[in-house]
Structures are given as C-alpha cells and as structure tokens.
Amino acid sequence: PVSILMLDIDHHDQVRELLGADQTQGLYRRLAEHLFTLIRAGDTLYFLDHGRFCLILPFTHEEGARVTAERIRRSIAEAQWPQVGRMTVSIGATTHISQDSPADRLRERATDALEEAGRRGHDRVWFSTDPQQVA
C-alpha cells in the first residue's frame, strides 16, 4: 500500500502578503523541517509551490494515513511560527486501491480531497476513498 497526503497552508495568500517573498520562503523551510520530524525515514516530502506540500507514505494503509495526517495537522496548529504565530493547514489524503492504475490518478484524488477539505473550512483533514469521487 501507498498513501499520499497533499497539504496546503491555510490562508496562504494572506500569509505571503504579510511576510513578503523572502520571509515566506523561510516559513516554507521551517515547515518542511517540522514535517521531517513527523514522518518516517522512508516517507518522501515534496514542496510543490504556493504553500503546497506532497507527502508520499509507502507501506501505509488508510488508517495509517489518517493517523499521520491528523498528527501533522494538529502539530502544525499547536506550534508557534515566527512572524505568523499560529498557522493551520488543510490536508487531503488517499490510499492506493486496486482500481488505481497510474500514479497521476492517485495524486489527483489526493488533490481532490485537499480541495474538499478547503471547501469544508480550514485546519482539517479530508480523506478520499472512492476512485470516482471524493468522500
């Protein structure tokens, strides 16, 4: 099994406007360092752009992905971040299922789940289990 978490900084545009480009890059670095303390050695972290990160969690079933996503969300919300104080993230998650073929579809489903988390508010995790729709 493999799971993917897509993570967005909530209110990213306002954070970027408040901090400016250089300090925002520093915030991304601090967030990446923080995420590395929360994931396993075999997990992979990517910075995509505009406050979005992607985590690939090999050998992780749905329940493990849910626990990891919630741990990350809570840890970020409880931390104090330089220049911004409290910061939250929304996370979309999914796990590879037998109907998945290309990896792009798995990433697409995680992105769809992230968008659904954003529609439902901030500081939340949304998990997609259905290959045809976000649940």
Side-chain angles (χ1 to χ4, degrees):
V2 63
S3 294
I4 294 182
L5 308 180
M6 297 295 280
L7 178 149
D8 263 348
I9 296 173
D10 292 331
H11 309 289
H12 174 264
D13 291 340
Q14 292 90 337
V15 170
R16 186 171 174 82
E17 187 176 305
L18 172 71
L19 297 181
D22 289 341
Q23 287 187 355
T24 301
Q25 291 299 320
L27 179 64
Y28 295 158
R29 278 191 298 280
R30 285 187 289 281
L31 180 54
E33 291 167 357
H34 185 81
L35 290 168
F36 276 121
T37 69
L38 300 172
I39 62 175
R40 302 168 303 180
D43 298 340
T44 307
L45 173 66
Y46 295 96
F47 175 71
L48 301 177
D49 203 6
H50 302 297
R52 180 168 291 181
F53 291 82
C54 177
L55 290 144
I56 300 175
L57 312 175
F59 309 109
T60 306
H61 292 280
E62 179 180 334
E63 185 58 30
R66 288 178 183 271
V67 168
T68 300
E70 183 57 31
R71 185 176 71 241
I72 288 169
R73 185 207 58 78
R74 188 176 52 251
S75 176
I76 292 169
E78 292 172 353
Q80 285 296 311
W81 299 92
Q83 285 86 31
V84 294
R86 184 171 185 267
M87 179 174 72
T88 61
V89 296
S90 295
I91 301 173
T94 194
T95 299
H96 182 273
I97 56 176
S98 60
Q99 293 89 340
D100 288 326
S101 49
D104 287 348
R105 180 62 192 126
L106 187 62
R107 192 173 97 173
E108 181 181 313
R109 204 166 64 239
T111 301
D112 291 346
L114 175 60
E115 290 170 1
E116 184 64 23
R119 279 190 292 274
R120 292 175 178 265
H122 299 291
D123 193 23
R124 72 177 56 238
V125 173
W126 193 259
F127 197 92
S128 172
T129 56
D130 187 337
Q132 301 303 315
Q133 68 183 50
V134 176

